[in-house]
């Protein structure tokens, strides 16, 4: 499983990672959202290996990770005062901003798009690694394409194994859901992927954000209909939760964000504290744990679609094979 490539994110190992990156290798590293698989942004051959290792189609552009505000001038053509305000507010942190790119950014990073997505992660290990390497890192989530994003070093090793030179282990990622991706066109802001920073928070800084998620895979291919999928089929529950306890749901497990008034053995609670942040932080790792269990399927209960709940529902929908309903005390599964 390649666990021998996992090393604690000590200062010495981070420096080793930086050396690997300078030689054109790949290093997986923790961020506050999920683990990333990094390559030097100006090294097209190294970036090409990211696509190979992940099995990711070349039409899906990567996010570039920076460690200083100066770095953005090597990537973006122009930075307006409003964008400055935006990144000063949310960086370091889980907001990715998409703007027209400089010619020096290799096409392979942006999948040929004239724009480049950039963010500054709020994680000591990620920032130190970028600084030591001396250049920004192109880095997607460090999972096999289409699979659940990894929030632990072991999950990276499980998906990518020996194809990566080094996995820096920084423990479990705090947020557990990926960054919010925001497209900026002049003074117009469009949400391309809901994420760890909510639309409501962004709107406080820049005014109205267009939240129509464009489905075009060219605009945000991570928004493919089925993505983030666990190998156990997941069905999103619709209806009255109380009805669920009247029926026999066989070898299915119920995945609930919060504690429920009725509990069965086969219920997994994402946040015993009833905290949406904890739901997000545990979601992907619990899905991976359920893959290793003997359950035949997952019935996931929804959260309210506001704030961080928007990102959680987005990931649940994309992870799902369809919806689950109760009719006449029977669990009905409807594939999408
Ligand atoms: O939290 C995160 O964002 C994590 C950590 C590692 O930073 N990264 C991550 O990367 O989730 P990835 O590759 O799994 O998702 C990147 C998303 C995709 O939906 C991609 O289509 C979109 O960003 N994206 C990247 N460049 C873009 C561009 N120029 N225009 C539109 N969307 C872009
Ligand atoms: Mg991803």
């Amino acid at each position: 499983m390649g666990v021998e490539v996992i090393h604690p994110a000590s200062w010495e190992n981070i420096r080793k990672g930086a050396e690997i990156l300078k030689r054109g290798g790949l290093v997986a590293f923790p961020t506050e959202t999920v683990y990333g698989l990094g390559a030097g942004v100006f090294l097209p051959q190294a970036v090409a290996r990211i696509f190979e290792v992940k099995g990711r189609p070349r039409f899906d552009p990567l996010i570039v990770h920076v460690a200083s505000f100066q770095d953005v001038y090597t990537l973006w053509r122009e930075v307006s005062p409003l964008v400055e305000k935006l990144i000063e507010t949310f960086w370091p942190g889980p907001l990715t901003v998409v703007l027209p790119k400089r010619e020096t950014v290799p096409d392979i990073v942006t999948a040929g798009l004239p724009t480049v997505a950039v963010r500054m992660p709020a994680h000591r290990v990620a920032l130190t690694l970028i600084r030591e390497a001396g250049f920004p890192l192109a880095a997607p989530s460090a999972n096999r394409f289409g699979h659940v994003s990894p929030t632990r070093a072991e999950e990276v090793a499980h998906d990518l194994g020996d194809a990566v030179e080094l996995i820096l282990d920084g423990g479990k990622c705090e947020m557990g859901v990926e960054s919010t991706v925001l497209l900026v066109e002049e003074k117009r802001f469009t949400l391309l992927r809901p994420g760890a920073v909510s639309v409501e928070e962004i709107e406080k800084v820049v005014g109205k954000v267009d939240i129509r998620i464009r489905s075009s895979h060219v605009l945000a291919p991570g928004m493919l209909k089925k993505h983030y999928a666990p190998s156990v089929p997941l069905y999103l529950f619709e209806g009255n939760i109380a009805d669920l306890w009247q029926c026999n749901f066989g070898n299915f497990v119920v995945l609930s964000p919060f504690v429920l008034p009725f509990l069965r053995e086969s219920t997994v609670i994402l946040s015993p504290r009833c905290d949406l942040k904890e739901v997000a932080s545990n979601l992907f790792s619990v899905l991976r744990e359920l893959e290793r269990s003997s359950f035949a399927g997952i019935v996931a209960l929804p959260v309210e679609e506001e704030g961080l709940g928007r990102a959680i529902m987005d990931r649940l929908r994309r992870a799902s094979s369809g919806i689950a309903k109760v009719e006449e005390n029977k669990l009905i599964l409807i594939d999408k």
Side-chain angles (χ1 to χ4, degrees):
M1 242 180 33
V3 282
E4 58 287 347
V5 298
I6 300 179
H7 293 279
S10 62
W11 171 235
E12 202 192 335
N13 287 332
I14 294 175
R15 288 191 54 178
K16 275 189 197 150
E19 290 308 315
I20 293 172
L21 290 165
K22 285 184 200 165
R23 289 201 307 268
L26 305 186
V27 174
F29 59 93
T31 78
E32 79 282 31
T33 58
V34 300
Y35 274 76
L37 176 62
V41 65
F42 300 118
L43 305 172
Q45 286 180 354
V47 176
R49 270 203 62 218
I50 290 182
F51 288 89
E52 270 164 46
V53 165
K54 279 194 58 136
R56 178 174 175 123
R58 291 273 182 110
F59 62 69
D60 195 353
L62 306 177
I63 294 175
V64 181
H65 297 65
V66 297
S68 80
F69 286 93
Q70 274 73 36
D71 285 344
V72 301
Y73 296 100
T74 66
L75 302 165
W76 286 335
R77 271 220 308 268
E78 239 178 68
V79 184
S80 69
L82 202 51
V83 169
E84 262 172 29
K85 195 172 155 201
L86 189 66
I87 61 182
E88 275 168 15
T89 308
F90 293 105
W91 286 6
L95 177 70
T96 296
V97 180
V98 179
L99 277 169
K101 78 172 187 76
R102 285 191 180 271
E103 261 172 37
T104 43
V105 178
D107 282 337
I108 189 161
V109 173
T110 66
L113 292 177
T115 53
V116 62
V118 183
R119 87 175 189 99
M120 188 192 291
H123 197 291
R124 177 191 66 85
V125 175
L127 293 173
T128 313
L129 182 67
I130 299 164
R131 281 193 199 116
E132 280 297 303
F135 43 69
L137 301 180
S141 50
N143 51 286
R144 215 170 9 81
F145 182 71
H147 196 213
V148 180
S149 295
T151 55
R152 292 191 173 108
E154 299 73 28
E155 296 169 0
V156 179
H158 175 269
D159 272 27
L160 308 180
D162 298 328
V164 187
E165 278 94 313
L166 173 66
I167 301 170
L168 290 170
D169 188 351
K172 190 174 174 228
C173 300
E174 186 195 331
M175 290 177 170
V177 68
E178 300 88 342
S179 64
T180 304
V181 181
L182 188 71
L183 172 68
V184 183
E185 296 160 305
E186 305 282 324
K187 288 189 173 150
R188 184 156 170 240
F189 297 84
T190 308
L191 179 75
L192 298 181
R193 177 176 74 180
V197 173
S198 71
V199 179
E200 291 85 344
E201 288 169 276
I202 298 170
E203 284 187 329
K204 278 187 205 147
V205 180
V206 297
K208 191 172 171 348
V209 171
D210 189 348
I211 57 167
R212 277 172 303 141
I213 308 273
R214 303 193 192 180
S215 57
S216 156
H217 65 252
V218 177
L219 265 175
M223 303 309 291
L224 294 175
K225 222 170 158 193
K226 194 162 175 200
H227 209 80
Y228 310 107
S231 58
V232 186
L234 179 146
Y235 292 86
L236 200 53
F237 184 71
E238 279 183 7
N240 186 343
I241 291 167
D243 292 345
L244 196 56
W245 312 104
Q246 309 302 321
C247 67
N248 174 2
F249 43 81
N251 196 18
F252 270 57
V253 60
V254 173
L255 182 63
S256 174
F258 307 125
V259 180
L260 295 163
F262 344 77
L263 275 185
R264 289 213 197 166
E265 270 167 46
S266 52
T267 303
V268 173
I269 308 291
L270 287 167
S271 173
R273 286 206 308 266
C274 276
D275 170 5
L276 217 47
K277 281 195 184 140
E278 193 180 26
V279 173
S281 141
N282 287 334
L283 178 64
F284 287 154
S285 56
V286 166
L287 287 179
R288 280 181 181 257
E289 277 160 27
L290 291 176
E291 286 183 334
R292 295 194 297 273
S293 72
S294 58
F295 291 113
I298 304 166
V299 174
L301 305 185
V303 294
E304 270 201 57
E305 219 145 341
E306 57 181 31
L308 190 54
R310 208 189 300 272
I312 294 169
M313 284 305 286
D314 172 77
R315 303 307 188 271
L316 280 176
R317 280 203 190 93
R318 283 170 212 289
S320 73
S321 299
I323 57 166
K325 284 184 174 176
V326 174
E327 277 173 23
E328 290 166 9
N329 288 349
K330 278 206 189 89
L331 188 69
I332 312 279
L333 303 173
I334 305 159
D335 282 294
K336 67 181 176 193

